[in-house]
Amino acid sequence: WMFCSSWMSDDMLLSGSRDEHLCIWSMSTSKRVLQQSDYNEDTSLAMISPLASVNVTSDKIRDIACRRQKQEVGVISPSGRFAVVNIPTMRRTLFYTLPMSDHVCLAIDKDERMYAVGSLHNISVIDAKTGRLEWTLPLPPGCANVRSVLFRDHTVAIGCGTGQVLFCDTRKRQLLTKDSETVTLSAKGGYLRKDVMVERYFP
């Protein structure tokens, strides 16, 4: 199944999946095949096949981040294999393994100058131009399992599997603090809406 997707343009989508393949999809030129919906017998879905598919990490693709100005995409696997792929040729231009473990998420800043990678106990920043690992920041005790990273100018929001959101200033290479304490947002219990999807697949 697919772990991630990202729009390269208005009609071109990239996806990464468990089968180790990076795929490129076209919304305008791909041949469409109608298939009956599993949820409603009276409706059908238009199915398309990818324009191209390539194995870039020999591992599951956990997340991708498009560098649209350069027509390339960054790819991360759970084992830390980081690759950069040129989209027009679908060829790998960079590949190496990061030293951390359990990589889950990848993001690129608005100016497409740096990637942020979230792993089990750290976030790492990679120079998008050179592909070089610039620095790694460990998370404080009690915060682990980074599940999301998101840029806003020079700040990266870090969502942890333990229910906290932290903020990193990429210029100072440190977590935001106030009165000498790390700025942290903590989630509460939450609510699960029991719809058809939940009842069918999570009884």
Side-chain angles (χ1 to χ4, degrees):
W1 60 78
M2 290 185 186
F3 281 125
C4 52
S5 62
S6 181
W7 288 100
M8 193 69 186
S9 64
D10 290 342
D11 69 342
M12 188 176 294
L13 182 73
L14 298 173
S15 67
S17 56
R18 187 185 181 92
D19 68 0
E20 305 178 359
H21 282 79
L22 174 72
C23 295
I24 182 169
W25 309 78
S26 173
M27 303 299 112
S28 59
T29 61
S30 297
K31 182 179 179 181
R32 299 169 186 264
V33 178
L34 292 180
Q35 179 174 312
Q36 191 175 39
S37 171
D38 292 334
Y39 301 103
N40 189 332
E41 296 180 355
D42 297 327
T43 62
S44 59
L45 302 174
M47 310 296 289
I48 63 174
S49 297
L51 293 180
S53 177
V54 62
N55 186 321
V56 294
T57 62
S58 297
D59 193 4
K60 293 179 289 187
I61 295 178
R62 196 61 185 84
D63 206 357
I64 59 177
C66 290
R67 196 177 179 209
R68 296 172 180 84
Q69 296 174 8
K70 297 296 183 180
Q71 291 288 291
E72 62 185 29
V73 59
V75 180
I76 191 71
S77 76
S79 60
R81 296 174 182 177
F82 176 73
V84 175
V85 178
N86 178 274
I87 298 305
T89 64
M90 288 297 277
R91 292 184 179 274
R92 194 170 67 186
T93 60
L94 177 73
F95 177 75
Y96 65 92
T97 301
L98 295 169
M100 292 68 66
S101 62
D102 294 337
H103 298 77
V104 172
C105 47
L106 178 69
I108 192 167
D109 71 320
K110 182 177 64 175
D111 297 325
E112 299 185 352
R113 296 178 302 175
M114 65 181 77
Y115 294 102
V117 183
S119 56
L120 183 60
H121 296 293
N122 310 273
I123 68 158
S124 303
V125 170
I126 297 171
D127 186 307
K129 183 177 181 180
T130 65
R132 182 177 63 188
L133 176 62
E134 291 290 312
W135 49 274
T136 296
L137 180 67
L139 299 181
C143 299
N145 302 316
V146 178
R147 290 292 178 261
S148 65
V149 285
L150 180 66
F151 277 97
R152 180 65 182 265
D153 297 326
H154 300 287
T155 302
V156 180
I158 308 162
C160 300
T162 46
Q164 297 97 351
V165 178
L166 309 176
F167 304 91
C168 173
D169 187 332
T170 58
R171 293 168 298 184
K172 297 180 179 180
R173 302 187 179 186
Q174 65 184 30
L175 296 174
L176 294 185
T177 60
K178 183 178 181 180
D179 299 330
S180 301
E181 293 189 3
T182 302
V183 176
T184 307
L185 302 179
S186 297
K188 300 299 181 182
Y191 168 75
L192 176 64
R193 178 182 177 182
K194 294 185 177 180
D195 56 10
V196 175
M197 181 74 71
V198 173
E199 292 177 354
R200 178 174 295 183
Y201 296 104
F202 304 97

